[in-house]
Amino acid sequence: QSVLTQPPSASGTPGQRVTISCSGSSSSVVSNTINWYQQLPGTAPKLLISSNNQRSSGVPDRFSGSKSGTSASLAISGLQSEDEADYYCAAWDDSLNGPVFGGGTKLTVL
Amino acid sequence: QVHLVDSGGGLVKPGGSLRLSCAASGFTFSDYYMTWIRQAPGKGLEWVSDISGSSRYTNYADSVKGRFTISRDNAKNSLYLQMESLRADDTAVYYCARPVTRDGDSLPGYWGQGSLVTVSS
């Protein structure tokens, strides 16, 4: 059971807006910032969002991140077929002294 | 630009050993903590270990503590993971990663392409 909880799946149609949630359950995690990663099939994860809401270089502004309290969200607007991927949130765990990841959300573009 | 190339994976029998390498370029290697993260087939991401820029500090996940050793050679811009007493549940793609910033608690920002380790008889 990860200390960061994500829904296992999400879906949307092209052009739609979808959000993926990431909820923290440990005091050693919830006060820290969240990164979001996109993993296309058969490839390494790629950083999308750092420090809750900072888009990485080259990431379209269709992707946005936010955090409120113990929960964070990744929003994807104007959904495109190439957005079909697994998405992971991550935070620093002060107890582990290392990063922890959510279980991942598989996004399907219908 | 930051470039990380993982190598050294392969098929190994239970109880065996393997050494992974990561060649880094495009940044001042010695300035950054470096991290190993793994992903079992069809599963999520799991942090394995990290090491400070000077090699003074190392940290391990409980699942690998006492069996894996992280090291680096700043003169060669290289990161290593020596894996001993391998078990079937160590089967995974292993990624080296560089954090976003130089801070010790910075999350991964750049990833290698991964190296597949399969532990099977």
Side-chain angles (χ1 to χ4, degrees), chain A residues 35 37 39 44 88 92 96-97, chain B residues 39 47 59 95 104 107-108 111-112:
Chain A
N35 282 12
Y37 303 89
Q39 187 175 33
Y88 293 90
W92 190 263
L96 181 68
N97 201 23
Chain B
Q39 186 172 34
W47 170 76
N59 197 19
Y95 298 100
L107 296 171
W111 301 66

Side-chain angles (χ1 to χ4, degrees), chain B residues 26-43:
Chain B
F27 65 101
T28 304
F29 184 67
S30 58
D31 280 354
Y32 289 85
Y33 270 77
M34 292 295 294
T35 298
W36 287 102
I37 294 163
R38 68 183 181 183
Q39 186 172 34
K43 301 296 185 182

